[in-house]
């Protein structure tokens, strides 16, 4: 759903840019509350993992593919404000280095792929965990449904943006039908990837999943024939092995590198949902060449490397490395600001 330059007119692109900038400012402030000693090391890794999995296009219909958007996954793992920042870092790296998503359309892409998906997914997720049994399995189920709904929500958002600032004379009804239809199918893939990833992290480090905090059931005591909550005794001590983030961080980074550097070669080559809809309805006629089209990493390949497998693999590895470095720098800076604002001197 990366929108290229030229699909949306300049005034609408500027307006979404202002909206995106405001949302990022709010997210930076909100992330200070979310980024603690557990979340901060994970946030940069989540951004890198989303970058890697977005390279894995999967077939969803004849001649159409889809890939992870990542808003639901980021919001559930590290929190909604931090999640917006995670996806935004990915979009920024993709736009600047890989010519994926227009630079003048960066506000559109952040609004659609980072803000809408994260807000919708986390709202659905929080609503579900309040009514479902308070178990780890419920978190996984809620993750699946939240991710499933976030993708067609982003398709609706794009349709609304296009209705306001689209640069071609195409029936909005046709655009909406095509976009929502294909992105419901893509949402199924998003839901599976999100649920599997959240479930895997919960299985080994439930304390690191932001959306799973506070879901432990209180011990019940039978008093006078009735069950009542036992008195709170404070949080149970976390084993030393569980306090270390190093093993999970290394495992996640290696997984991201393998996905981007090797598995991505086998991804579907079919156009993704937006590309297919744009081609079928003539929307792509106004697309402009990307400002970073001459980048050494444009189109997820390394310039002057003739072997396609090696070129794509190197580009993926570089992308994961740059994203984890940029994301970690942002999140540690935010975490440091939180530490300074809560210090005794402050």
């Amino acid at each position: 759903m990366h929108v290229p330059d030229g699909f949306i007119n300049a005034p609408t692109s500027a307006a979404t840019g202002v909206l995106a900038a405001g949302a990022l400012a709010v997210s930076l402030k909100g992330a200070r509350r979310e980024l603690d000693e557990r979340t901060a090391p994970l946030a940069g890794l989540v951004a890198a993992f989303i970058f890697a999995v977005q390279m894995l296009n999967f077939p969803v219909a004849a001649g159409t593919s889809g890939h992870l958007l990542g808003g639901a996954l980021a919001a559930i793992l590290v929190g909604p404000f931090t999640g917006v920042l995670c996806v935004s870092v990915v979009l920024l790296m993709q736009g600047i280095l890989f010519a994926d998503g227009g630079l003048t359309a960066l506000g559109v892409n952040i609004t659609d792929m980072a803000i809408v998906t994260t807000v919708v997914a986390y709202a659905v997720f929080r609503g579900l965990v309040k009514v479902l049994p308070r178990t780890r399995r419920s978190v996984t189920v809620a993750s699946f449904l939240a991710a499933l709904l976030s993708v067609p929500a982003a398709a609706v958002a794009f349709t609304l943006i296009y209705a306001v600032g689209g640069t071609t004379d195409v029936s909005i009804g046709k655009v909406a039908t095509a976009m929502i239809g294909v992105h419901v199918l893509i949402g199924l893939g998003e839901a599976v990837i999100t649920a599997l990833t959240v479930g895997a992290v919960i299985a080994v480090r439930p304390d690191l999943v932001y959306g799973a905090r506070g879901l432990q059931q209180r011990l019940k005591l039978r008093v006078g024939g009735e069950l009542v909550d036992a008195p709170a005794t404070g949080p149970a001590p976390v084993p030393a092995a569980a306090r270390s983030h190093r093993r999970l961080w290394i495992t996640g980074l290696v997984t991201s590198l393998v996905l981007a550097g090797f598995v991505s070669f086998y991804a579907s080559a079919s156009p993704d949902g937006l590309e297919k809809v744009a081609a079928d309805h003539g929307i792509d006629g106004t697309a402009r060449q990307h400002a970073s089209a001459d980048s050494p990493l444009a189109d997820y390949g390394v310039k002057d490397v003739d072997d396609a497998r090696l070129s794509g693999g190197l580009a993926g590895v570089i992308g994961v490395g740059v994203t984890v470095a940029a994301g970690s720098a942002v999140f540690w800076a935010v975490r440091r600001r939180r530490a300074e604002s809560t210090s005794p001197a402050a």
Side-chain angles (χ1 to χ4, degrees):
M1 199 179 290
H2 293 76
V3 179
D5 294 319
F7 274 26
I8 307 298
N9 62 31
T12 306
S13 296
T16 55
V18 172
L19 175 62
L24 290 176
V26 172
S27 297
L28 284 169
K29 186 175 181 179
R32 295 182 192 177
R33 300 190 299 271
E34 296 172 348
L35 290 169
D36 55 20
E37 66 281 356
R38 292 174 292 178
T39 310
L42 189 62
L45 179 61
V46 169
F49 182 77
I50 290 173
F51 174 90
V53 180
Q54 283 197 2
M55 294 183 67
L56 308 181
N57 281 50
F58 48 84
V60 294
T64 309
S65 69
H67 62 70
L68 182 82
L69 297 185
L73 178 62
I76 294 165
L77 288 180
V78 293
F81 294 107
T82 308
V84 169
L85 298 178
C86 281
V87 181
S88 298
V89 167
V90 173
L91 294 173
L92 187 61
M93 295 299 102
Q94 290 170 332
I96 293 176
L97 298 178
F98 298 92
D100 189 9
L103 295 183
T104 61
L106 186 60
V108 175
N109 286 320
I110 290 177
T111 299
D112 195 25
M113 296 177 65
I115 300 170
V116 171
T117 58
T118 302
V119 171
V120 170
Y122 198 71
V124 171
F125 175 81
R126 293 307 305 174
L128 288 172
V129 295
K130 288 181 179 180
V131 299
L132 292 173
R134 299 168 68 83
T135 64
R136 295 177 185 176
R137 180 174 297 180
S138 296
V139 174
T140 304
V141 172
S143 301
F144 180 93
L145 295 173
L148 176 64
L149 294 175
S150 70
V151 178
V156 171
F158 169 79
T159 303
L160 294 175
I161 293 172
Y162 196 81
V164 174
T167 53
T168 54
D169 186 17
V170 179
S171 168
I172 297 304
K174 292 182 179 180
V175 174
T177 301
M179 284 292 292
I180 296 171
V182 71
H183 284 90
V184 167
L185 300 177
I186 295 173
L188 289 171
E190 177 105 8
V192 170
I193 295 170
T194 300
L196 288 175
T197 305
V198 171
V201 178
I202 286 179
V204 294
R205 289 296 304 273
D207 59 302
L208 293 183
V209 179
Y210 183 89
R213 297 180 185 179
L215 294 180
Q216 297 84 0
Q217 288 182 305
R218 291 284 298 274
L219 178 65
K220 298 286 187 178
L221 297 178
R222 186 173 296 278
V223 179
E226 296 183 359
L227 290 176
V228 298
D229 288 335
T233 57
V238 179
R243 288 199 299 267
S244 174
H245 304 92
R246 183 175 301 176
R247 178 175 298 181
L248 178 66
W249 199 90
I250 292 175
T251 301
L253 181 60
V254 170
T255 300
S256 300
L257 291 171
V258 170
L259 292 176
F262 177 73
V263 180
S264 62
F265 182 78
Y266 301 97
S268 173
S270 299
D272 64 27
L274 176 58
E275 290 173 332
K276 179 65 172 175
V277 171
D280 289 347
H281 294 82
I283 297 175
D284 59 354
T286 57
R288 299 197 306 269
Q289 184 179 23
H290 199 286
S292 299
D294 295 330
S295 166
L297 299 173
D299 296 324
Y300 297 94
V302 177
K303 189 176 182 179
D304 297 330
V305 176
D306 296 328
D307 185 275
R309 185 190 297 267
L310 179 60
S311 177
L314 286 175
V317 168
I318 293 170
V320 168
V322 172
T323 303
V324 75
S328 297
V330 170
F331 299 126
W332 277 113
V334 175
R335 168 64 178 152
R336 184 175 179 179
R337 287 289 300 274
R338 167 179 168 164
E340 290 175 351
S341 63
T342 57
S343 66

